[in-house]
Amino acid sequence: MMVESKEWYISAYAPEGVPTSDHLKLRSVPVSLAFDSIPDRHVALEILLISIDPYLRTRMTGIEDGLYFPQLNLNEVISVFGIAKVIQSKDSNYTEGNIVLSAFLPVAEYAVLASDLLIRKIDPMPAISLPDYLSSLGVPGFAAWVGIEVVAQPKPGSNMFISAAAGGVGMYAGQLAKLKGCKVIGSTGSDDKVQLLKDEFGYDNAFNYNTEASFDAALTKYFPDGIDVYFDNVGGEMLEAVLNHVNNHAQITLCGMISQYNKVWTERYGVRNLLNMIGKEVKMEGYMIGSYMDRFPDFTKEMESYITQGKITCKHMIYYGVESFLESLGSLFSSSNLGKVIIQVKSLH
Amino acid sequence: MMVESKEWYISAYAPEGVPTSDHLKLRSVPVSLAFDSIPDRHVALEILLISIDPYLRTRMTGIEDGLYFPQLNLNEVISVFGIAKVIQSKDSNYTEGNIVLSAFLPVAEYAVLASDLLIRKIDPMPAISLPDYLSSLGVPGFAAWVGIEVVAQPKPGSNMFISAAAGGVGMYAGQLAKLKGCKVIGSTGSDDKVQLLKDEFGYDNAFNYNTEASFDAALTKYFPDGIDVYFDNVGGEMLEAVLNHVNNHAQITLCGMISQYNKVWTERYGVRNLLNMIGKEVKMEGYMIGSYMDRFPDFTKEMESYITQGKITCKHMIYYGVESFLESLGSLFSSSNLGKVIIQVKSLH
């Protein structure tokens, strides 16, 4: 049984700007799903859901400096975190119909994959939808959980600021910080999202950075008592503004810097006031979730419990069809996206 | 008994550049040393030695943003860390002839001071000279000790880089790091100082940043295996260069940023590659020694032991006479100074 599978590959690197159809291309390839054609310890998969995360963009610059994510290979299919259904299995741990999670799925419709590239089977729980496994229980949820629970470890009552607060990571970081008793204020790019942060994600306050006089003016207004913890998803100018409003022994947790991904490093925003880190004795720490995979089971258990108790709200921005990859990736860099961006490749029924 | 005491005060703030005689002025004031004129719990002091440290410059900008040291008051005498001899005492804890340490001595020849502004009496040990109490056992030694022993806590075998390595703090930081088993490489501003770092302070290697092709080229050459710990005394461009050479989980300890003190913050060097802190999971932490005063006794005990065992070498740059304050302060911002800058106000015999 052969199928045609549409898949996305990178045909040219994009050192600057948002990648376009000049860089990312769709092609159709034949995939054999016949049982006899599948190697041992491999599975044939129908891909259901694909996680679209900002770090993906940093793998498309072609600049391999060893300091961040490794670059994708030209003409190779792009691999992502996602969910698939097993349609043939040559591994006794998996059978036809299993729903599986993997960090190495192609952005495609079908794939034959070594079974050691699967993370685990998913047994959906009534309160948890399949997209949640890529969201609150996936990359962004885990990034938020590691940042709040392991790296920042904010004390109850801390004044916490979260940028890109309505983004995939920000919405969970804010909710987790609220559960730890922090006062949480977020920045985001539209008035609708400000409302959402306050009404649905329980933020104490939020502002639209596009309509404030300046980042500095906004922080003066929203943090009259200064910032104790900054959960940074954007970097650059906002990080600099925060460093003018930090309290003694403030903690800055660097999760991402989406404002800087589309520039070569020499063109990135230069932060001029790191001296304040001495005067205010600030601790700033970057992290990658890959270094904390041993905590994934703890995270899953805690997050599933929060979700089933209704303590964590999820919001997804679903794109339909693998064809939408370029558009869904681009949405991360506008103010248009709201919640976790996911591509639904196939109907889930 | 009245004496004329020369003292330095700040007549105008210097937001940018090295302060000059336009900002810092010498005047002569009468001081009464007569026993009856001294208030209770005060002492009359003859000032012997004055510690000249880079942070002093940051108190002369006139820009009070609450983010670093507080500003000096115009027309008030400048206060510093130093050593004095008690010549009259109205406090039973001190008697004439005592040698005392204080963080609040005026840059002057004589002073009458509240005795609670004294830190302690010094009972000089044979192996320890009086200037050592302002150097290895004073502000720079304590700054180095807190940075290495408390903040950075480098593992044996770590590749450590220290900037301004022959400066007051750098020379002790390097020696303490060597005692912890690190591989220590320093940057400094002259070939003579490179030699000194290797010959007298036990650095594994050192380079003159003025004669290297670029900071980046120098770090490529001297750290082929990357940097594990950076002890930063200069900030700015060197900090940015370091962030292109960090290893996974590198630690950056921010002690000072002398390259940036003579600029208003908006003119300071903008560090563009903080994103590398995420990719390499770097921890960066600023500190002020004032927050670690509870560790001062531990520090003193450990450092005295190292000095008497000959494990720590001290180097001082002594200026003579209180008149030399402006020149000695300026020397911190050239490549000319070597070791800890101290003013000897009076003969020590």
Side-chain angles (χ1 to χ4, degrees), chain A residues 58 65-69 232 239-240 243-246 249 254-257 260-261 265-289 291-292, chain B residues 58 65-69 232 239-240 243-246 249 254-257 260-261 265-289 291-292:
Chain A
T58 69
D65 58 10
L67 291 163
Y68 206 38
F69 285 97
D232 188 10
L239 176 54
E240 184 179 80
L243 281 170
N244 286 336
H245 292 269
V246 282
H249 297 102
L254 303 177
C255 175
M257 295 193 173
Q260 307 298 303
Y261 293 158
W265 85 265
T266 50
E267 298 303 316
R268 288 184 182 142
Y269 189 87
V271 173
R272 295 164 293 177
N273 55 358
L274 293 172
L275 183 59
N276 298 347
M277 288 186 64
I278 301 180
K280 290 296 185 182
E281 303 188 88
V282 175
K283 197 182 288 184
M284 189 188 281
E285 185 170 359
Y287 70 100
M288 303 273 278
I289 56 174
S291 297
Y292 295 87
Chain B
T58 68
D65 58 10
L67 291 163
Y68 205 38
F69 285 97
D232 188 10
L239 176 55
E240 184 178 79
L243 282 169
N244 286 335
H245 292 268
V246 281
H249 297 102
L254 303 177
C255 175
M257 295 193 174
Q260 306 298 303
Y261 292 159
W265 85 262
T266 50
E267 298 303 316
R268 288 186 182 141
Y269 189 88
V271 172
R272 294 165 291 178
N273 54 358
L274 293 172
L275 183 59
N276 297 347
M277 289 186 62
I278 301 181
K280 290 296 185 181
E281 302 187 89
V282 175
K283 197 183 289 184
M284 189 187 281
E285 184 170 359
Y287 70 100
M288 302 273 278
I289 56 174
S291 298
Y292 296 86

Side-chain angles (χ1 to χ4, degrees), chain B residues 163-186:
Chain B
S163 55
V169 178
M171 62 180 170
Y172 299 121
Q175 294 181 82
L176 289 169
K178 282 303 298 177
L179 289 168
K180 291 189 90 72
C182 299
K183 183 180 170 194
V184 184
I185 298 175

Side-chain angles (χ1 to χ4, degrees), chain B residues 80-135:
Chain B
V80 291
F81 205 85
I83 292 172
K85 187 161 77 179
V86 176
I87 50 181
Q88 296 281 10
S89 174
K90 283 253 180 101
D91 183 312
S92 57
N93 294 311
Y94 298 98
T95 57
E96 202 179 322
N98 280 168
I99 305 295
V100 292
L101 202 60
S102 171
F104 297 95
L105 287 187
V107 180
E109 295 177 296
Y110 295 92
V112 174
L113 213 67
S115 52
D116 61 8
L117 296 180
L118 304 180
I119 296 173
R120 64 180 179 98
K121 277 182 281 196
I122 294 173
D123 296 310
M125 301 163 74
I128 300 177
S129 76
L130 216 45
D132 289 345
Y133 289 95
L134 298 187
S135 180

Side-chain angles (χ1 to χ4, degrees), chain A residues 324-342:
Chain A
S324 65
F325 175 65
L326 191 57
E327 183 191 358
S328 62
L329 183 70
S331 77
L332 297 175
F333 300 97
S334 71
S335 291
S336 68
N337 77 305
L338 196 161
K340 169 63 187 144
V341 177
I342 290 170

Side-chain angles (χ1 to χ4, degrees), chain B residues 154-223:
Chain B
K155 294 191 188 82
S158 301
N159 292 337
M160 178 174 288
F161 177 49
I162 300 180
S163 55
V169 178
M171 62 180 170
Y172 299 121
Q175 294 181 82
L176 289 169
K178 282 303 298 177
L179 289 168
K180 291 189 90 72
C182 299
K183 183 180 170 194
V184 184
I185 298 175
S187 65
T188 186
S190 77
D191 291 343
D192 285 353
K193 289 197 272 190
V194 166
Q195 212 52 50
L196 186 87
L197 288 171
K198 294 196 278 192
D199 294 348
E200 292 194 35
F201 298 144
Y203 273 68
D204 293 289
N205 216 332
F207 64 87
N208 176 355
Y209 64 83
N210 285 312
T211 56
E212 296 287 337
S214 69
F215 292 174
D216 187 71
L219 296 177
T220 301
K221 179 162 49 169
Y222 290 96
F223 288 96

Side-chain angles (χ1 to χ4, degrees), chain A residues 3 5 7 31-33 38 43-47 84-85 87-88 104-106 108-113:
Chain A
V3 292
S5 173
E7 65 177 25
V31 176
S32 169
L33 304 176
I38 297 168
V43 290
L45 301 170
E46 181 177 44
I47 293 161
K85 187 161 75 178
I87 49 182
Q88 296 282 10
F104 297 94
L105 286 188
E109 294 176 297
Y110 295 92
V112 175
L113 213 66

Side-chain angles (χ1 to χ4, degrees), chain A residues 99-305:
Chain A
I99 304 295
V100 292
L101 201 59
S102 171
F104 297 94
L105 286 188
V107 180
E109 294 176 297
Y110 295 92
V112 175
L113 213 66
S115 51
D116 60 7
L117 296 179
L118 304 180
I119 295 173
R120 65 181 178 95
K121 276 182 279 196
I122 293 173
D123 296 311
M125 300 163 73
I128 300 176
S129 77
L130 215 44
D132 289 346
Y133 288 95
L134 298 187
S135 181
S136 49
L137 293 165
V139 170
F142 189 47
W145 186 86
V146 171
I148 298 293
E149 301 282 333
V150 186
V151 182
Q153 298 187 32
K155 295 191 188 80
S158 301
N159 292 335
M160 178 173 288
F161 178 49
I162 300 179
S163 55
V169 177
M171 63 180 169
Y172 300 121
Q175 294 181 82
L176 289 169
K178 282 303 297 176
L179 287 169
K180 291 189 89 71
C182 299
K183 182 181 169 193
V184 184
I185 298 174
S187 66
T188 187
S190 77
D191 291 342
D192 285 352
K193 289 197 273 191
V194 166
Q195 212 51 49
L196 185 87
L197 288 172
K198 294 195 279 190
D199 294 348
E200 292 195 36
F201 297 145
Y203 273 68
D204 293 288
N205 216 332
F207 64 88
N208 176 355
Y209 64 83
N210 286 312
T211 55
E212 295 287 336
S214 69
F215 292 175
D216 188 71
L219 295 177
T220 301
K221 179 163 49 172
Y222 290 96
F223 288 95
D225 301 321
I227 295 169
D228 299 312
V229 184
Y230 175 41
F231 189 95
D232 188 10
N233 292 306
V234 303
E237 200 178 345
M238 187 63 93
L239 176 54
E240 184 179 80
V242 165
L243 281 170
N244 286 336
H245 292 269
V246 282
N247 288 332
N248 269 327
H249 297 102
Q251 166 88 29
I252 297 181
T253 299
L254 303 177
C255 175
M257 295 193 173
I258 200 167
S259 75
Q260 307 298 303
Y261 293 158
N262 290 323
K263 298 168 186 165
V264 297
W265 85 265
T266 50
E267 298 303 316
R268 288 184 182 142
Y269 189 87
V271 173
R272 295 164 293 177
N273 55 358
L274 293 172
L275 183 59
N276 298 347
M277 288 186 64
I278 301 180
K280 290 296 185 182
E281 303 188 88
V282 175
K283 197 182 288 184
M284 189 188 281
E285 185 170 359
Y287 70 100
M288 303 273 278
I289 56 174
S291 297
Y292 295 87
M293 290 314 292
D294 60 318
R295 303 297 306 275
F296 201 82
D298 298 337
F299 151 72
T300 302
K301 197 174 156 192
E302 190 174 314
M303 203 59 136
E304 281 182 350
S305 156

